[in-house]
Amino acid sequence: MAILITGGAGFIGSHLTQILLKQSDAQLVSIDNFNDYYDPALKRENVKPVADEPRVTLIEGDFCDSAAMKRLFDEHDIDQVVHLGAMAGVRISVQKPEMYQHANVAGTLSLLEAARHHPVKRFLLASSSTVYGKGAGVPFCEDVPLGIPASPYGATKRAAELLCLTYHQLHGVPTACLRPFSVYGPRLRPDLALTIFAKAVHEGTPIPLFGDGSIRRDFTHVSDICQGFISALTADGVVGQEINIGHSDPIEMRRLIELLEKSFGKKAVIDYQPERPEDLPITYANLEKAEQLLGYGPKVLIEEGIQEYVDWFRDWHG
Ligand SMILES: Cc1cn([C@H]2C[C@H](O)[C@@H](COP(=O)(O)OP(=O)(O)O[C@H]3O[C@H](C)C(=O)[C@H](O)[C@H]3O)O2)c(=O)[nH]c1=O
């Protein structure tokens, strides 16, 4: 019996692997294709802490390869899946939608097909708060109609959710869709605003800020997100559900910059740029369902989390 973690060398996947090693005695199979969306050397670093762990099998492979996935489920006797692997950048999805369709829709289908032919106890999809789209009321609640996704990324995540829900209904695959909100922490992806802003403050270069700083994000620490996934692996009542995992306390991007200024002890220079149509003006999680089904509650305050992130960033970038 083993837990499969896709995107296992990524930001969230590498944290989840380490936390599961501490909190469970499960065998872990981590798959990642180490693609060059960002420097694969960062992903090699991410998995170094678990490289010699006997309970972790690290596979360099592609979850879009459905024949390989069917073999993998059989060979490693996969009984739980946390599907974190994806093409995840909002703005690149506008330029390269086909890559997002392939990884996020065809890739999810490939895993669901493997899961359908193998007895799995739980299949968790890492969806995204972007599925709420523009026009959804805040705080975002799972049980009201969604807006239209603002980006191809959001649309592919919603398509992946629908495939999961269909495979549950049609084939009995025990799927659940978790919707993380603006995950941050050590090892954060380099394409995300927080990394770009931190680098700019650190180096004294201008921060490219889209809009006037009033856009709000519900930043959620990676350790809280991982606890959400871990609870969902065993909790009752989650199968067939969509569940927010966020912080429920959104901050403006200008506040994020202030927190970085405080942690770095430096003033930021801001290069104001036009807002992008693919960006949501706000993300804000209603957490009632997560509290009820997962016993979920975020623990890390943004002030503490950003300080921890900046300490890590300084160590990493010197
Ligand atoms: C890269 C960049 C972004 N921004 C703005 C755009 C947004 O208003 C905000 C956050 O952007 P970021 O790219 O960090 O994150 P989101 O677009 O909210 O998307 C992220 O959070 C969701 C939940 C996922 O599911 C995605 O995987 C993840 O990429 O900062 C800037 O102002 N300047 C920049 O250089």
Side-chain angles (χ1 to χ4, degrees), residues 88 90-91 128-129 153 189 192-193 208-210 215 217 253 279:
V90 169
R91 279 150 301 279
S128 166
S129 55
Y153 167 67
R189 281 187 2 234
L192 290 168
L209 179 65
F210 307 155
I215 287 179
R217 286 289 176 274
M253 295 307 285
D279 284 331

Side-chain angles (χ1 to χ4, degrees), residues 216-288:
R216 291 201 283 164
R217 286 289 176 274
D218 199 8
F219 287 101
T220 311
H221 194 267
V222 64
S223 60
D224 288 325
I225 293 294
C226 287
Q227 286 310 324
F229 277 102
I230 291 169
S231 303
L233 280 172
T234 51
D236 290 332
V238 307
V239 169
Q241 300 292 326
E242 295 129 319
I243 308 169
N244 293 337
I245 42 173
H247 194 74
S248 201
D249 189 12
I251 60 162
E252 293 189 336
M253 295 307 285
R254 64 164 76 97
R255 172 77 184 132
L256 181 71
I257 295 172
E258 281 169 15
L259 291 172
L260 287 172
E261 289 179 322
K262 186 157 176 269
S263 294
F264 278 108
K266 274 179 162 181
K267 196 92 192 104
V269 183
I270 301 178
D271 171 18
Y272 290 96
Q273 300 187 9
E275 248 180 73
R276 310 281 180 103
E278 63 272 28
D279 284 331
L280 301 183
I282 180 169
T283 65
Y284 181 180
N286 175 310
L287 295 177
E288 279 169 35

